[in-house]
Amino acid sequence: MKHSGTRHKARKRAVDLLFEAEAKNVSPSTLIIERRELVRDDESVGTVHDYTATVIEGIAGDYPQIDAVVSSHLKEWTLERLPAVDRAILRLATWELFNADDVDPVVIVDEAVELAKELSTDDSPAFVNGVLGKIAELAPQVRAAARAGDDV
């Protein structure tokens, strides 16, 4: 099943930027700023979709909590031992599960599995699906708590 939608491309770009930021040991937010400046001079760089920027900013502002949630759902693995692309996919999907109210959690998990198929190892799609399946169970409570916090 191949996705060509704008959101899928935005997610894939977000995974690429998260991966690159980790490899370079820089904030992914910094990469977004750099790309947006570069595209003014060189259109071949490609614009950064607003959804990509939203996701990256959200993840960058919440790394410790996202990593704690992901880590707590890993069986016999540590976050550091995972392939970097899997870390990026899990971070993206976890942030979306907790923050993207306009996207069904099932769609978020399916998209993450699809990204793992495209970008990672043969074992990654099933692994990503298993971890995110457990995290998705938390999403309604986390979203409700966030909404309640917004009302205060």
Side-chain angles (χ1 to χ4, degrees):
M1 178 161 85
K2 203 73 171 135
H3 293 90
S4 60
T6 304
R7 273 270 168 106
H8 181 75
K9 289 177 184 160
R11 286 182 182 100
K12 187 167 191 242
R13 185 81 186 272
V15 168
D16 291 344
L17 289 167
L18 289 168
F19 180 88
E20 181 182 345
E22 185 173 328
K24 291 180 173 178
N25 199 24
V26 298
S27 164
S29 301
T30 302
L31 290 181
I32 294 283
I33 293 164
E34 287 175 3
R35 292 306 184 285
R36 287 196 158 155
E37 288 171 1
L38 278 174
V39 80
R40 284 189 210 118
D41 301 325
D42 181 0
E43 290 182 12
S44 71
V45 172
T47 58
V48 176
H49 189 277
D50 287 342
Y51 191 72
T52 300
T54 298
V55 169
I56 293 288
E57 292 297 331
I59 294 167
D62 216 6
Y63 259 123
Q65 182 183 357
I66 290 168
D67 284 359
V69 169
V70 173
S71 293
S72 72
H73 289 85
L74 298 176
K75 295 271 189 262
E76 300 171 23
W77 280 90
T78 61
L79 197 57
E80 297 75 33
R81 281 186 54 219
L82 295 178
V85 70
D86 290 0
R87 269 195 304 275
I89 291 167
L90 289 169
R91 285 170 173 153
L92 165 71
T94 299
W95 183 87
E96 279 193 297
L97 284 167
F98 291 169
N99 297 283
D101 285 340
D102 61 329
V103 186
D104 187 302
V106 173
V107 172
I108 294 168
V109 174
D110 286 350
E111 280 283 313
V113 169
E114 197 61 35
L115 287 167
K117 285 179 187 171
E118 290 175 33
L119 302 171
S120 196
T121 68
D122 290 345
D123 295 332
S124 292
F127 178 78
V128 164
N129 188 53
V131 173
L132 291 176
K134 290 181 257 165
I135 293 172
E137 293 173 12
L138 303 174
Q141 297 94 305
V142 172
R143 288 179 180 189
R147 278 193 301 275
D150 290 344
D151 296 341
V152 175

